[in-house]
């Protein structure tokens, strides 16, 4: 009799537990069902770099592994890139254990925005939006948004028990943007100085304007000088035949003072009349020691010092022709200073 009573009591408790479990399941289902059917997470960060430099880094998937927080926190993550890593339809796919996903570029407005579609497993795709805003001080505000609509029940169930999406996704966006900041700023500081050796420079005619400057205002003055020379050439219908260059009449690096001429090659001798500050000069064919700086112009003093040391170490004697530097690309068209190329020519006997 006692055994029957105990069994009856056990069955009652079991029914009670099953009832509580059923209530819990129903309650959980209701709680999950009433969760929002969409989400939107946005984070912004200001990077001290030109917009084009930041944009070019983001739009090319081959750069993502260097700053993505998801890659940083998942060392086992395997990344696969499409043949074209930037531009429309560029694709980045990943897999870690049994989880896999992809992100595809769907829209691009140069230096302004990038839209992408994020696919994680079998869940519906999410939308990714990058926005880039230039600031007057030369920095760039980057805004990164991840959003999704019409979330299915199983996705909402996953998010309920995996933690707050705003906190989880937002944390990754914040960390990735800080990493992007470091990567971009570092990329602009990369430079190299190479001694190319002794060669010949062909010489020729050039239009020029002479001035003095200090290292502090040198960049602004050079811009004004080239603008004056180009304006004169345009008004006189004189064609440019080569890259702009600077001739140094004197260089006092210790005092940061320079006397220089900004020059632009032309085909023939130009007879300048009136009181024009823009004149025509001629450089003969000369023997030179050539060096190349790839990087920001602020490294030019170091490049010139490298040239001078090489001259001294190899007992090379300077000729009467003034040294000069040629700018092989225009910073207006090449946003990253690390890609600027300056050739240094030191005339020797």
């Amino acid at each position: 009799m006692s055994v029957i009573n105990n069994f009856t009591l056990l069955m009652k408790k079991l029914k009670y537990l099953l009832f509580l479990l059923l209530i819990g399941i129903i309650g959980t289902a209701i709680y999950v069902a009433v969760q929002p059917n969409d989400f939107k997470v946005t984070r912004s960060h200001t990077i001290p770099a030109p917009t084009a430099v930041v944009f070019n880094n983001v739009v090319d998937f081959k750069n993502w592994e260097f700053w993505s927080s998801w890659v940083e926190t998942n060392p086992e993550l395997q990344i696969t890139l499409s043949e074209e890593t930037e531009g429309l339809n560029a694709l980045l796919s990943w897999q870690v254990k049994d989880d896999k996903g992809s992100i595809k570029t769907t829209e691009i407005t140069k230096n302004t925005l990038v839209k992408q579609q994020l696919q994680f497993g079998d869940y519906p795709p999410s939308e990714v939006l990058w926005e880039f805003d230039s600031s007057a001080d030369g920095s760039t505000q980057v805004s990164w948004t991840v959003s999704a609509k019409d979330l299915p029940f199983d996705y909402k169930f996953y998010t309920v028990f995996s933690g707050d999406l705003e906190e989880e996704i937002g944390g990754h966006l914040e960390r990735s943007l800080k990493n992007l900041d470091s990567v971009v700023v570092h990329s602009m500081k990369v430079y190299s100085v190479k001694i190319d050796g002794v060669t010949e420079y062909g010489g020729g005619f050039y239009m020029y304007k002479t001035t003095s400057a200090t290292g502090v205002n040198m960049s602004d003055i050079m811009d004004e000088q080239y603008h004056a020379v180009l304006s004169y050439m345009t008004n006189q219908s004189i064609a440019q035949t080569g890259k702009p260059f600077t001739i140094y009449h004197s260089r006092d690096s210790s005092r940061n003072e320079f006397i220089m001429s900004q020059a632009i090659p032309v085909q023939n001798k130009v007879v300048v009349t009136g009181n024009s500050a823009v004149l025509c000069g001629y450089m003969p064919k000369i023997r030179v020691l050539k060096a190349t700086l790839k990087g920001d112009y602020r490294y030019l003093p170091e490049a010139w010092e490298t040239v001078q040391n090489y001259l001294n170490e190899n007992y090379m004697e300077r000729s009467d022709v003034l040294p000069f530097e040629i700018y092989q690309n225009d910073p207006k068209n090449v946003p990253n200073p690390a890609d600027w190329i300056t050739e240094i020519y030191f005339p020797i006997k």
Side-chain angles (χ1 to χ4, degrees):
M1 191 70 175
S2 175
V3 174
I4 296 175
N5 290 337
N6 289 338
F7 178 76
T8 303
L9 181 61
L10 179 61
M11 291 302 295
K12 288 181 178 180
K13 289 182 178 181
L14 183 59
K15 289 180 180 179
Y16 180 71
L17 290 173
L18 291 172
F19 179 71
L20 291 177
L21 180 60
L22 180 61
I23 292 176
I25 292 173
I26 294 173
T28 300
I30 294 174
Y31 178 76
V32 171
V34 299
Q35 294 303 303
N37 291 320
D38 56 19
F39 73 83
K40 182 178 182 180
V41 182
T42 300
R43 292 293 187 271
S44 297
H45 184 79
T46 299
I47 299 177
T51 298
V53 178
V54 182
F55 177 89
N56 289 342
N57 194 295
V58 169
V59 80
D60 193 339
F61 281 133
K62 72 173 180 287
N63 301 317
W64 282 45
E65 63 178 303
F66 300 110
W67 48 259
S68 169
S69 173
W70 283 276
V71 175
E72 184 180 45
T73 56
N74 290 279
E76 298 179 359
L77 197 70
Q78 296 179 346
I79 293 178
T80 303
L81 301 176
S82 57
E83 184 175 351
E84 296 295 331
T85 59
E86 61 180 314
L88 291 179
N89 298 318
L91 183 70
L92 181 152
S93 303
W94 72 86
Q95 183 168 351
V96 54
K97 297 180 180 179
D98 294 330
D99 295 327
K100 61 181 180 179
S102 64
I103 184 167
K104 179 180 181 180
T105 301
T106 58
E107 182 179 337
I108 297 175
T109 301
K110 188 171 179 61
N111 297 335
T112 302
L113 68 82
V114 176
K115 288 185 178 180
Q116 297 165 326
Q117 187 177 76
L118 174 65
Q119 183 71 54
F120 183 74
D122 296 326
Y123 292 117
S126 302
E127 298 299 321
V128 177
L129 173 65
W130 293 85
E131 296 175 290
F132 306 84
D133 293 314
S134 302
S135 301
D137 63 359
S139 62
T140 302
Q141 184 183 60
V142 186
S143 296
W144 191 3
T145 301
V146 180
S147 61
K149 298 179 180 179
D150 303 321
L151 300 177
F153 180 87
D154 59 340
Y155 187 87
K156 292 195 290 184
F157 184 86
Y158 167 79
T159 59
V160 165
F161 291 99
S162 63
D164 181 73
L165 277 179
E166 172 71 25
E167 181 178 343
E168 181 182 357
I169 296 178
H172 277 291
L173 299 186
E174 290 173 7
R175 177 63 180 170
S176 296
L177 288 171
K178 289 181 180 178
N179 290 344
L180 176 63
D181 185 323
S182 298
V183 168
V184 168
V185 170
H186 175 74
S187 75
M188 295 192 300
K189 295 179 180 179
V190 175
Y191 75 100
S192 64
V193 179
K194 177 187 176 185
I195 298 293
D196 300 305
V198 176
T199 185
E200 285 189 340
Y201 178 74
F205 292 101
Y206 57 89
M207 304 304 296
Y208 72 97
K209 187 172 183 288
T210 303
T211 189
S212 60
T214 65
V216 176
N217 65 355
M218 195 168 180
S219 179
D220 292 337
I221 288 180
M222 289 178 70
D223 285 344
E224 294 172 2
Q225 291 277 99
Y226 282 121
H227 178 73
V229 175
L230 284 170
S231 295
Y232 179 88
M233 292 172 59
T234 300
N235 292 335
Q236 300 297 321
S237 299
I238 303 171
Q240 178 177 344
T241 59
K243 302 292 185 181
F245 60 100
T246 293
I247 302 171
Y248 289 99
H249 302 271
S250 69
R251 290 178 52 89
D252 189 339
S253 299
S254 61
R255 300 175 62 180
N256 218 14
E257 295 177 349
F258 308 90
I259 298 177
M260 58 187 183
S261 295
Q262 275 62 54
I264 296 177
V266 295
Q267 184 66 44
N268 302 306
K269 181 179 180 179
V270 176
V271 178
V272 178
T273 58
N275 297 321
S276 173
V278 177
L279 304 173
C280 182
Y282 178 77
M283 186 177 296
K285 185 176 181 179
I286 50 174
R287 187 167 179 258
V288 295
L289 173 65
K290 178 188 173 188
T292 301
L293 165 68
K294 184 177 181 182
D296 199 320
Y297 296 147
R298 62 177 170 162
Y299 300 115
L300 275 170
E302 180 181 334
W304 278 101
E305 183 179 357
T306 300
V307 170
Q308 189 62 60
N309 290 338
Y310 188 91
L311 288 166
N312 295 337
E313 292 168 1
N314 291 274
Y315 305 102
M316 293 181 176
E317 188 177 355
R318 172 178 171 173
S319 75
D320 295 332
V321 181
L322 297 173
F324 56 99
E325 59 193 26
I326 300 177
Y327 313 107
Q328 289 297 331
N329 46 25
D330 188 344
K332 294 183 178 64
N333 302 322
V334 182
N336 193 336
D339 297 323
W340 298 349
I341 297 176
T342 307
E343 295 177 346
I344 295 174
Y345 293 85
F346 204 106
I348 56 176
K349 292 183 179 179

